[in-house]
Amino acid sequence: MLGKLIKYEFKSTIKTFLGIYLSMLVTGLLIGIFNVANIEEGTALAIFVFFGLLVALFVLTITIIIKRFKDNLFGDEGYLMFTLPVSAKKIVISKLIVSLVYIIISVLIVIATFIIMVIPSVNEINNLIQLGNEIKTSLIVNLVTKRELILNTIYMFIVSLIGYIEFVLTIYLSLSIAQLKPFQNHRNLFSIISFFVINLIVSTIGNNINKVFGTMSISANTEILITIVLTCICSLILFILTSYILEKKLNLE
């Protein structure tokens, strides 16, 4: 059933994302072509459009996360969704997985767009290769080994990924809290308030924990691992609370 939920979620959102993904790739190609042809006005306009699309992609991603969760669970679809033989936990997991897939695809599309920008220009490619060699030399000079570089990249990816998971689950919990009976007359307002309150609580706890570990002599890698563990714990709590509200306290009236 989890697979069917994920498939349904993708079917409901894929067309919206495909349009902006294609637009970004085409814009990147136009930037590269205009740059090679020395058409400064065209290059400037295409760059402006590209950054506009970046902002639109960010806004669209957040909007889709909110809209799909609200409409699918708290709108008319909610009555049907909660009659299915599936737990609230699986519903939340399915939406979270789809959100993660889209953010990963979005990052890959942005990287691909930058690559497309420089493909038409041999000089730009040579400059990138030269820049890569300079970075490599700088790393060697600073005694940063290849292994350390790979580990740092992996750590950065994991921290970013679980940070995004925590962010999405915060949105889910905020929307769920706003559906509780005491807040039903002002759901949009209380969803916003809940979001900021949850973030305030999480950041306060995180800062206090960091102060405790700040008094200890620990390595940078250990500090990163602690951050990962704490974020995972926080995400798990957010997930449990959201699932509990959906299963026990949901009010669809």
Side-chain angles (χ1 to χ4, degrees):
M1 183 56 86
L2 180 60
K4 290 182 179 179
L5 288 172
I6 294 173
K7 184 178 179 180
Y8 173 73
E9 198 69 18
F10 273 121
K11 276 187 175 182
S12 302
T13 54
I14 188 64
K15 290 182 180 179
T16 305
F17 281 97
L18 281 179
I20 195 166
Y21 288 158
L22 182 60
S23 299
M24 292 184 71
L25 293 172
V26 171
T27 303
L29 182 59
L30 289 175
I31 291 173
I33 294 173
F34 288 147
N35 190 36
V36 172
N38 291 322
I39 304 176
E40 295 181 0
E41 294 83 359
T43 302
L45 178 60
I47 290 175
F48 177 79
V49 172
F50 172 70
F51 282 104
L53 288 171
L54 273 180
V55 174
L57 179 59
F58 172 78
V59 174
L60 177 67
T61 302
I62 303 302
T63 302
I64 291 295
I65 289 173
I66 295 173
K67 184 174 176 58
R68 285 302 303 160
F69 197 81
K70 282 184 66 177
D71 293 351
N72 193 225
L73 298 183
F74 308 135
D76 294 337
E77 294 180 47
Y79 294 97
L80 175 61
M81 182 63 68
F82 287 104
T83 60
L84 296 175
V86 59
S87 66
K89 292 184 179 65
K90 287 187 178 180
I91 294 175
V92 175
I93 290 173
S94 67
K95 294 184 179 299
L96 182 60
I97 289 174
V98 173
S99 297
L100 284 174
V101 171
Y102 276 128
I103 197 65
I104 292 172
I105 293 175
S106 297
V107 171
L108 293 176
I109 289 293
V110 172
I111 294 172
T113 303
F114 277 109
I115 293 174
I116 291 173
M117 285 181 191
V118 301
I119 283 177
S121 175
V122 176
N123 290 333
E124 290 293 338
I125 294 175
N126 291 333
N127 289 337
L128 285 177
I129 293 174
Q130 183 179 353
L131 177 61
N133 291 331
E134 290 176 357
I135 292 174
K136 182 179 178 181
T137 302
S138 176
L139 291 174
I140 293 173
V141 169
N142 288 285
L143 300 178
V144 177
T145 65
K146 184 178 180 180
R147 178 176 175 275
E148 288 174 330
L149 180 61
I150 293 174
L151 282 176
N152 289 335
T153 302
I154 293 173
Y155 282 149
M156 184 167 47
F157 173 77
I158 294 175
V159 169
S160 300
L161 194 63
I162 61 175
Y164 180 74
I165 290 173
E166 182 185 55
F167 171 71
V168 173
L169 288 172
T170 301
I171 292 177
Y172 288 170
L173 180 56
S174 302
L175 294 172
S176 299
I177 290 173
Q179 298 300 314
L180 296 175
K181 196 169 184 179
F183 311 131
Q184 62 182 358
N185 293 328
H186 304 282
R187 288 173 177 169
N188 291 332
L189 174 62
F190 278 103
S191 62
I192 295 172
I193 293 174
S194 298
F195 179 81
F196 285 106
V197 170
I198 293 168
N199 274 294
L200 179 62
I201 294 172
V202 171
S203 61
T204 301
I205 294 174
N207 290 335
N208 289 332
I209 292 175
N210 286 332
K211 287 180 180 178
V212 172
F213 284 108
T215 60
M216 304 178 185
S217 179
I218 57 176
S219 65
N221 287 341
T222 302
E223 189 174 346
I224 293 173
L225 288 173
I226 291 171
T227 301
I228 291 173
V229 171
L230 291 176
T231 307
C232 286
I233 293 173
C234 180
S235 298
L236 180 60
I237 293 172
L238 294 172
F239 171 76
I240 292 173
L241 290 174
T242 301
S243 300
Y244 175 78
I245 291 174
L246 293 178
E247 288 179 347
K248 306 295 185 181
K249 301 293 182 178
L250 185 61
N251 175 35
L252 291 177
E253 294 181 3

